Amino acid sequence: MPVRTQAVGLLAAGLAHDLNNMLAAIITTIELVAERSANEDDRLDLQSAVDQAARASQLIRQLLAFSRQETLNPVVVDLSAIMLALQQNCTATVGRDIRLDLVAAPPVFVKIDTTAFERILVNLLLNARNAIRECGRAQGRIRVSCRRLTAAELPSNGRSFMPDKSYGCLTVEDNGPGIAPDIAARIFDPYFTTRDSGHGLGLSSAFGLVKQSGGFLLCDDSLLGGARFSIYLPEVAEEIRPTTVPRKGCGNVIMLVDDELLLRMSAARALERLGFRVRQAADGEAALARLETERPALLISDIRMPGIDGVELARRARAHHPGLPVLLVSGFADERARVAIPGVEAGFLEKPFTTKRLEEAVLHLLDHGNAHPASH
Ligand code: ADP
């Protein structure tokens, strides 16, 4: 990285950490006020303030990513499996007017933070979609594919600097206009954009995240006619491939519902550390809205919440997604009896729980569903 970019990176990182702390305090305070307020209009206004703060926090994450200062939780995952786990999200990002093909490969294990991976992939897909739409291509096409690459197969545009080893490679290519030669050298620069509504942070943050993960992000022309972006992540040795986390669970989505922000955040962090991608919701209504568009691998919900409680949420979620595994949590021991009522069929975890217990309960449910309840 040039010295000037490095300095901007340090500045961005310093600012981002301070701003994030302030935003966390702002969000917590607003949520406390919202809890005390009986007025529905006030609660809606406060919620939109929280939404804005959350958007600001997203922007800060982009800055941290570009400056390579983000705290990542890399886990060992099969690149193909994580790509397929993201299929629904990819389709939603690209939209129905563009044909999207996902091409999987035999397992290839790499080490990456799965949430960061999702952001990289979404950024590349958004760019491909925007490029196709802006050039007015009638039949847009995007292809996402995975493969294992041996040291002898390194790409010509990376051979001079990529260490000789095997890699897991994920490629996103489109049939848009491609990258014009006069801007090719600048597309990874922060704030470089050719789009009216662009921020110029998509590629720079993706580049930062890939670098921080020990990989490479390269761009060349696609056989489809447009641009091709490829992420190369070093393949991990067989000895350190996962034994505790089921390979299928990695990269899967968990929907986590709890009205207590701090508890939710710490459980989310623990799950992300295991390689799951976590969708958070502060109440049953928000969770149901999200469940309309996405089926998670598991729903974890607090039982006692304002509005729809956890047991009711589980019922409604299952009406939409039959067989969805559910783990209900509660600080009230008597809730276990409610969960045991026929028809609910959910796992139960008593609060407070340790990360280890949460992990055991989650992995058990992912392996067996709710058919064979285990006591936690
Ligand atoms: P933004 O998308 O906000 O412009 P990015 O950093 O993601 O910011 O991209 C920077 C620039 O790179 C874009 O403005 C565009 O000119 C170019 N670009 C990125 N992806 C593609 C693509 N798939 N096809 C054509 N041009 C692209």
Side-chain angles (χ1 to χ4, degrees):
M1 234 197 297
V3 174
R4 194 163 57 92
T5 316
Q6 215 165 8
V8 177
L10 279 177
L11 178 66
L15 264 177
H17 280 298
D18 287 350
L19 283 174
N20 248 350
N21 285 339
M22 290 177 202
L23 279 172
I26 291 172
I27 292 178
T28 316
T29 314
I30 297 175
E31 296 212 327
L32 282 174
V33 176
E35 225 163 77
R36 284 204 300 265
S37 168
N39 182 318
E40 187 55 24
D41 283 345
D42 284 354
R43 289 169 72 107
L44 285 176
D45 287 346
L46 290 169
Q47 186 53 48
S48 72
V50 170
D51 289 347
Q52 286 301 327
R55 285 181 61 188
S57 175
Q58 276 299 323
L59 195 64
I60 289 168
R61 289 192 78 173
Q62 301 261 45
L63 284 177
L64 280 176
F66 134 67
S67 60
R68 300 173 209 173
Q69 305 283 335
E70 198 163 0
T71 315
L72 298 181
N73 294 311
V75 287
V76 176
V77 285
D78 167 18
L79 201 55
S80 265
I82 182 176
M83 177 191 77
L84 290 175
L86 286 164
Q87 184 159 16
Q88 238 176 359
N89 202 355
C90 293
T91 313
T93 305
V94 163
R96 284 166 195 269
D97 52 326
I98 294 173
R99 174 174 150 193
L100 173 71
D101 296 311
L102 259 62
V103 186
V108 48
F109 286 88
V110 298
K111 198 167 183 193
I112 185 126
D113 175 313
T114 52
T115 307
F117 180 81
E118 179 176 16
R119 280 166 51 211
I120 297 166
L121 183 53
V122 166
N123 280 348
L124 296 178
L125 287 171
L126 282 175
N127 278 346
R129 182 199 73 181
N130 292 337
I132 289 170
R133 285 197 184 153
E134 274 161 26
C135 78
R137 176 85 64 237
Q139 283 178 331
R141 275 196 68 186
I142 299 177
R143 208 174 103 106
V144 183
S145 52
C146 259
R147 70 201 162 107
R148 177 176 180 271
L149 225 75
T150 63
E153 296 168 315
L154 297 188
S156 57
N157 56 348
R159 211 171 289 146
S160 62
F161 52 86
M162 285 170 71
D164 275 350
K165 48 179 157 184
S166 52
Y167 292 86
C169 170
L170 178 112
T171 299
V172 177
E173 52 194 317
D174 61 68
N175 68 344
I179 313 276
D182 56 323
I183 63 159
R186 297 164 64 201
I187 54 171
F188 292 108
D189 286 352
Y191 300 108
F192 175 80
T193 181
T194 55
R195 299 192 301 112
D196 291 342
S197 55
H199 294 291
L201 285 173
L203 283 182
S204 55
S205 59
F207 188 85
L209 286 171
V210 173
K211 269 268 145 247
Q212 205 183 331
S213 311
F216 300 88
L217 172 58
L218 304 180
C219 171
D220 58 7
D221 296 330
S222 160
L223 289 177
L224 296 178
R228 176 167 71 172
F229 288 85
S230 304
I231 304 164
Y232 299 90
L233 296 163
E235 186 179 29
V236 297
E238 201 151 343
E239 314 78 84
I240 56 168
R241 285 178 199 167
T243 49
T244 51
V245 180
R247 287 171 187 177
K248 270 195 181 153
C250 261
N252 277 344
V253 170
I254 291 184
M255 163 86 61
L256 178 66
V257 196
D258 199 320
D259 56 318
E260 284 181 63
L261 179 73
L262 293 179
L263 283 180
R264 199 173 74 226
M265 299 291 268
S266 69
R269 212 164 300 134
L271 292 168
E272 283 182 351
R273 225 169 277 143
L274 284 173
F276 293 104
R277 291 172 300 124
V278 182
R279 310 284 185 240
Q280 296 186 42
D283 56 39
E285 280 85 359
L288 283 172
R290 186 104 207 207
L291 286 164
E292 290 276 316
T293 54
E294 189 170 30
R295 180 187 168 115
L298 172 69
L299 168 69
I300 303 179
S301 175
D302 190 19
I303 294 186
R304 294 198 189 186
M305 298 184 292
I308 302 172
D309 77 2
V311 177
E312 180 59 20
L313 173 63
R315 274 204 195 100
R316 292 210 211 166
R318 288 243 180 84
H320 203 72
H321 301 294
L324 177 71
V326 176
L327 177 66
L328 293 172
V329 292
S330 173
F332 299 88
D334 59 324
E335 304 277 26
R336 182 187 289 272
R338 256 180 93 195
V339 169
I341 293 170
V344 179
E345 281 161 14
F348 179 77
L349 188 62
E350 201 169 305
K351 278 191 196 175
F353 47 78
T354 59
T355 306
K356 179 110 188 63
R357 288 205 126 194
L358 176 65
E359 176 181 344
E360 282 165 5
V362 165
L363 296 183
H364 178 86
L365 281 170
L366 285 173
D367 276 350
H368 305 287
N370 288 119
H372 305 285
S375 195
H376 294 285

